[in-house]
Amino acid sequence: MKFRVERDVLAEAVTWVARALPSNPPVPVLAGLLLEASPDGILRLSSFDYEVSARIEVAADVADPGTVLVSGRLLADISRSLPTWPVDVATDGSRVELTCGASRFTLLTMPVDDYPSLPAMPDAAGVIAGHDLTQAVSQVTVAASRDDTRPVLTGVQAQIDGEKLTLMATDRYRLAVRTLPWRPATPGMQATALVRARTLSEVSKALGAIGDVTVALPADGAGELIGFEAGGRRTTSLLMDGEYPQVLGLFPSEHLGSAEVSTSALAEAARRVSLVAGRHAAVRLRFGDGAIVLEAGQGEDAQASEAVEAALSGDEVVLAFNPQYLLEGLSGVAGEVTRLTFTQPTKPVVISSAGEHEATFRYLVLPVRLNS
Amino acid sequence: MSRRQLDRAGEGQQRGGERGGQRVGGAGSDAGPDDDGCPILHVDMDAFYASVELIDRPDLRGLPVIVAGGGGRAVVLSATYEARRFGVHSAMPLGRARRICPQATVIHPDHSRYAEVSRGVMEIFHSITPLVEPSSLDEAFLDVSGALRRVGRPARIAQVIRDRVADEQRITCSVGVAATKFVAKLASGRAKPDGLLVVPAEHTVPYLHRLPIGALWGVGDKTEDHLRRLGLHTVADLAHTPVATLERALGAAGVQLHELSWGRDPRPVVPEQVEKSIGAEETFARDVDDPEVVGRELLRLSEKVASRLRSAGMIGRTVVIKVRFADFTTITRSRTLAEHTDVGRVVHATASSLYAGLGLDRARVRLVGVRVEGLAEAGEGHHQLAFDEREHGWRDAERAVDRAGLRFGPGAVRPASLVREEYSPHDRGT
């Protein structure tokens, strides 16, 4: 095997594939990154940790086709550090020589025959605009649980209903839901998939910037894989097991009060006031007299308060929140004006972008109950 | 005050006084003992549990009485002086106490009653000075420097305390008056029972130097053996040993003992701190290797600790378990929760998971304990609501259990797995 590839092309490709390298490989061969140079001038890089697979195809001058398996971590470190010269890679017996300008590396190879074959990509289920995907995923993954006691909650639930895709995540304390348009491969298709939030987040960041992303799901909904593909990069991931709870019904059907407030003004005030709240303490929001007054700290502790002008309806009410939950909700609001609707201090509050006829992003957050 | 006076104060208390108790000679009169520079009082109830029991059992006065817990490993918690004459002392196995004093009446402890009397006693102390440092239910150090003008000289204050405890709580106590905590505690011990001993400041050193080495604070059996092997038998011996020698033999403790032997004890009386933790532990009647039995005990202790938190109006964030094995090795494990709690369910879930995390394989367990630390006032707490939580959760349920307990006695409502077991209130609070 012998090929030449541009330094940046190699570095970017290796970085993408290295995502799926296991940090603690269950078998040594999975620490490898597979390089396949084909006669038609395509270099394919692959990695796999039994749960997630990643693959990319880039153009290369292939002088001598072949396949080789090398340490993925080492190749990633090397390709990141190379000078800006074309990179030559050639096998030499059981070793691989990598030359770039005056730099020269010799890598050991691993047995290609022992490397598992990557799972086949399921059939394409539809296409989604890359920037929509990136935004939607970042809006909902903040609400996914990081606690493994209820594994399904560490995932993002995707529901496909014809041309509408709904993503949702909850950690029992808040629920983030985003709906977005997409182009299904078959009109009127219905499907659900539960994907690990961390995987989805990485995929959407890496693929979203490229352009349209093709999503692949088993047609009958019974498979265990989901695939994403954009610009020659593809990745598959095992779907999560388990029944996702029926969470959309948690949104209250009516409310007693509402507030419309500048998204950035409220977020900045919350950030400032929560400085005195400590890691677990609450920030209190008093809705009344044309303003939301934010307060944190009490008694002999440090205290802070700030008023933010707001258009209010309903009776005066005080709601207390975990400041992080409030801020992560506000960070998902795309519009300049945020709308909050509420009923009473122990019932969930809906945060959304004001002015939308039907909100595409809704964030439901439960308040903190103060004992006093 | 002469040596003779001191001796008389310590050991030769005169009979007299309106209730037939023993009094220090001359205390209360103008020619009282020389208590200048002796602002520290150590007050110790006499045979506390037994004395409290005698309040309601006057028929037992003057007889040997033992208070002891139940169960297979019952130990003497307290004994009247009549029983002590037979050699009975606290922490002695009950079986042995019965053998050496078969005529003694054995009474089951009533901890809530002791706590109640203790509160009354501590209130008396607090009416004298805010500088009260309780070291247990039945003893405390007082610094009365600030009460001298208002109440009188230290010896007079000590007598006021003795009179009020006798009148209001109907039990007797002994008081040591000295310049330092260490000497005051020694003095109260020498004054027992129902006595008062002043160790004047300028007599502190000669007084100490006459004592056996074991009387020093911090000298237990092991250290005493060690010191005796070095040929040190009295405090005077130790006081006249070079500090460097003591430090070589005992480390930093040696330096401290040397200081004490010269009556130097800089420790101030520290008023009662806000409670730092609430806990309970249980020594099994027999060592247990059945994880289910240990699990049930963790549940009972968790419920108990949470109930105590609620009745104290406190919440805590760190759950600690303690496990002592048959060979007496003891380990503790702790976990800090996301938010404060006073819910037994939460304490138990955490304690169980800590215990499971030990990965014990039928280890023989002698004692388990559950403690909650990181306490705060309940009013300062808050609770992040969750979607899958009922509006009235376990917290409300357990509050209802508390109310039932007030009406029908503790344990009136308890988890089903604890129903068959006899409710045992004998475990020690920590």
Side-chain angles (χ1 to χ4, degrees), chain A residues 150 170 172-175 250 280-282 298 322 325 345-348 364-372, chain B residues 315 317 337-340 342 377-393 395-396:
Chain A
R150 282 192 66 190
T170 180
R172 298 169 61 238
Y173 309 116
R174 61 256 171 84
L175 164 65
L250 292 170
H280 292 284
Q298 60 187 350
N322 175 323
Y325 296 173
T346 57
K347 295 283 189 256
L364 186 70
V365 56
L366 269 167
V368 163
R369 184 180 62 206
L370 301 171
N371 285 355
S372 49
Chain B
I315 47 180
R317 253 189 81 192
L337 306 169
E339 54 188 38
H340 285 84
D342 58 4
E377 302 273 340
E380 290 170 18
H382 58 265
H383 172 66
Q384 171 65 54
L385 300 160
F387 292 127
D388 51 359
E389 150 182 299
R390 296 178 200 198
E391 192 171 348
H392 295 287
R395 190 160 194 264
D396 299 290

Side-chain angles (χ1 to χ4, degrees), chain B residues 155-175:
Chain B
R156 166 91 194 117
I157 292 173
Q159 195 50 48
V160 166
I161 287 173
R162 280 168 39 73
D163 291 343
R164 283 190 59 190
V165 169
D167 291 347
E168 294 172 23
Q169 299 299 331
R170 292 185 288 160
I171 59 173
T172 63
C173 62
S174 302
V175 184

Side-chain angles (χ1 to χ4, degrees), chain B residues 8-76:
Chain B
R8 199 180 61 188
E11 281 127 31
Q13 293 116 331
Q14 294 174 336
R15 289 257 157 212
E18 55 280 294
R19 59 170 202 286
Q22 292 167 321
R23 291 297 179 83
V24 64
S29 69
D30 287 345
D34 178 7
D35 55 9
D36 277 349
C38 290
I40 309 295
L41 271 56
H42 181 254
V43 189
D44 196 357
M45 305 301 118
D46 301 323
F48 181 57
Y49 291 0
S51 304
V52 172
E53 293 297 340
L54 292 187
I55 298 173
D56 300 323
R57 296 287 302 273
D59 54 307
L60 293 177
R61 281 187 191 274
L63 299 175
V65 174
I66 293 171
V67 178
R73 283 205 188 127
V75 293
V76 174

Side-chain angles (χ1 to χ4, degrees), chain B residues 75 87 96 130 178 378 399-400:
Chain B
V75 293
R96 189 167 138 66
R399 279 169 190 278

Side-chain angles (χ1 to χ4, degrees), chain B residues 218-385:
Chain B
V219 177
D221 290 348
K222 256 191 192 162
T223 313
E224 186 173 347
D225 281 353
H226 195 138
L227 290 169
R228 284 185 189 279
R229 275 202 303 280
L230 295 175
L232 306 178
H233 299 279
T234 67
V235 176
D237 294 342
L238 187 137
H240 294 101
T241 302
V243 183
T245 310
L246 294 172
E247 193 171 4
R248 254 197 318 281
L250 302 171
V255 180
Q256 211 181 351
L257 287 180
H258 191 261
E259 288 288 292
L260 286 180
S261 73
W262 288 101
R264 292 189 288 261
D265 176 13
R267 284 169 291 192
V269 172
V270 182
E272 191 173 11
Q273 305 270 312
V274 188
E275 272 185 290
K276 288 194 188 95
S277 73
I278 289 185
E281 56 190 52
E282 173 78 9
T283 304
F284 293 109
R286 250 174 269 108
D287 295 338
V288 165
D289 65 356
D290 181 350
E292 233 176 78
V293 175
V294 176
R296 265 207 301 278
E297 194 53 39
L298 288 175
L299 173 61
R300 193 178 71 81
L301 294 172
S302 301
E303 297 268 334
K304 182 184 188 115
V305 167
S307 158
R308 280 196 198 151
L309 280 168
R310 292 191 296 270
S311 65
M314 307 293 282
I315 47 180
R317 253 189 81 192
T318 302
V319 177
V320 188
I321 63 161
K322 170 173 165 185
V323 181
R324 177 169 296 150
F325 299 101
D327 64 357
F328 276 84
T329 52
T330 307
I331 54 173
T332 61
R333 292 289 182 274
S334 68
R335 182 174 306 155
T336 299
L337 306 169
E339 54 188 38
H340 285 84
T341 189
D342 58 4
V343 179
R345 284 265 147 179
V346 176
V347 175
H348 176 238
T350 313
S352 295
S353 127
L354 286 169
Y355 188 78
L358 295 173
L360 300 179
D361 182 20
R362 295 199 85 84
R364 288 172 60 220
V365 174
R366 180 184 167 86
L367 169 150
V368 286
V370 175
R371 196 165 74 240
V372 174
E373 298 177 347
L375 301 188
E377 302 273 340
E380 290 170 18
H382 58 265
H383 172 66
Q384 171 65 54
L385 300 160

